[in-house]
Amino acid sequence: MSSSRRSLASRCAREEEISELIFKLQSLLPERSRRHLRRVSKDEVLEEVCSYIRKLHKEVEDTSKTVYQLLVSADHNTIIDADVLRTLLQE
């Protein structure tokens, strides 16, 4: 096999792998985003995934701050109810 054929085969394999990874990333998005991204470029899918990750990161930070504030403000002699913490973490 010539080097140009190997190069083409390698490039096709990389493109296929990238497409598969994009599909997997897209499947991790909420349904409304997946519907919007059905026929868009790989760049747009990556932008949407990055935006979603930033949104999730902010939600985690906000929830962590809320839990921390509740723990700090709680009476140290009071045991915090596990159900209350579970509810806060599910928001």
Side-chain angles (χ1 to χ4, degrees), residues 43-61:
D43 290 341
E44 290 173 298
V45 172
L46 288 174
E47 285 179 26
E48 183 70 23
V49 168
C50 289
S51 174
Y52 184 60
I53 289 171
R54 283 190 293 273
K55 178 183 174 247
L56 290 176
H57 184 72
K58 180 165 177 14
E59 287 179 17
V60 168
E61 282 182 5

Side-chain angles (χ1 to χ4, degrees), residues 1 9 15 22 24-26 38 55-56 63 71 87-88:
M1 183 183 278
E15 282 295 319
I22 292 292
K24 286 178 182 179
L25 282 172
Q26 197 170 359
R38 287 201 197 276
K55 178 183 174 247
L56 290 176
T63 302
L71 290 172
T87 301
L88 285 171

Side-chain angles (χ1 to χ4, degrees), residues 2 7 9 21 24 29 31 37 44 49 59 62 72 81 84:
S2 72
S7 177
L21 290 171
K24 286 178 182 179
L29 293 170
E31 179 61 34
L37 295 172
E44 290 173 298
V49 168
E59 287 179 17
D62 292 347
V72 167
D81 188 359
V84 172

